[in-house]
């Protein structure tokens, strides 16, 4: 599938899937192009506020994450071949990425790396290779993300 090689653009998404888009638009695109996907919902029971998140998984390589039907995060892994603006992709050596992005910081809580350039990286300790790349809306990095007030801005655009 062509979009498995789309460029990865921090704070924007990929060439095909744009952060801030709606669940309805994404589902319409997938169905219109006969792209198979799995959809699931995490109701976030017990969280305050209790806001369900919807996930669409495509080809076990792209996971699109929605809150109140707004795409806020894209996880890329496995067969995804797209590259970040710095030239790194899944399968790149972490040592190479560390040279290209001095802003990388290890995040103990999620056991990944956070870049000030708008992406998160998962790596395989055994191989030293990047195994996942996540891009997200700028608001995901804010302290008040889980208050969801930022959603209003995106819902108006939808």
């Amino acid at each position: 599938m062509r979009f498995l090689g789309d460029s990865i653009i921090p704070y924007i998404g990929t060439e095909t899937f744009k952060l801030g888009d709606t669940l309805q638009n994404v589902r319409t695109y997938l169905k219109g192009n006969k792209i198979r996907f799995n959809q699931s919902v995490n109701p976030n029971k017990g969280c305050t506020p209790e806001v369900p998140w919807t996930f669409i998984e495509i080809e076990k390589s792209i996971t699109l994450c929605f809150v109140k039907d707004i795409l806020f995060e894209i996880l890329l892994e496995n067969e995804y071949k797209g590259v970040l603006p710095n030239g790194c992709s899944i399968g790149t050596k972490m040592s190479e990425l560390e040279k290209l992005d001095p802003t990388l910081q290890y995040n103990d809580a999620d056991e990944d790396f956070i870049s000030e350039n708008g992406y998160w990286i998962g790596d395989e300790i055994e191989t030293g290779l990047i195994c996942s790349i996540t891009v997200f809306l700028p608001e995901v990095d804010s302290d008040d993300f889980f208050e969801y007030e930022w959603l209003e801005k995106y819902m108006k655009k939808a």
Side-chain angles (χ1 to χ4, degrees):
M1 292 189 189
R2 188 195 77 72
F3 59 81
L4 288 177
D6 279 359
S7 294
I8 306 165
I9 312 150
Y11 302 124
I12 303 293
T14 68
E15 294 169 63
T16 302
F17 302 107
K18 302 293 185 229
L19 295 164
D21 203 354
T22 65
L23 178 60
Q24 180 179 340
N25 286 347
V26 169
R27 287 176 53 89
T28 298
Y29 171 81
L30 294 171
K31 288 178 179 181
N33 287 283
K34 296 180 177 32
I35 299 167
R36 294 175 46 185
F37 63 93
N38 294 317
Q39 183 172 319
S40 61
V41 175
N42 177 350
N44 286 321
K45 294 285 183 198
C47 293
T48 306
E50 230 173 65
V51 178
W53 290 11
T54 302
F55 302 95
I56 288 185
E57 184 181 338
I58 307 163
E59 296 291 313
K60 295 188 175 163
S61 293
I62 301 173
T63 303
L64 306 170
C65 311
F66 298 82
V67 63
K68 292 197 177 181
D69 296 338
I70 300 296
L71 179 58
F72 73 93
E73 183 178 288
I74 302 172
L75 169 65
L76 307 161
E77 55 192 343
N78 300 320
E79 302 304 315
Y80 198 84
K81 302 295 182 212
V83 297
L84 286 162
N86 61 16
C88 290
S89 62
I90 293 164
T92 299
K93 290 182 180 179
M94 275 300 295
S95 58
E96 182 67 25
L97 178 59
E98 289 167 335
K99 290 177 195 170
L100 294 170
D101 187 348
T103 73
L104 279 179
Q105 297 285 323
Y106 186 71
N107 174 12
D108 282 324
D110 294 322
E111 297 182 348
D112 63 2
F113 292 85
I114 299 172
S115 170
E116 290 177 13
N117 296 310
Y119 57 88
W120 300 325
I121 296 293
D123 70 329
E124 292 178 353
I125 295 171
E126 303 81 32
T127 64
L129 301 178
I130 294 171
C131 63
S132 68
I133 300 171
T134 303
V135 291
F136 44 85
L137 289 172
E139 292 83 357
V140 170
D141 254 351
S142 69
D143 292 335
D144 61 353
F145 171 77
F146 291 104
E147 293 172 23
Y148 300 110
E149 292 175 13
W150 56 270
L151 274 169
E152 191 173 314
K153 171 174 98 175
Y154 294 95
M155 294 173 99
K156 286 179 183 175
K157 292 179 185 178

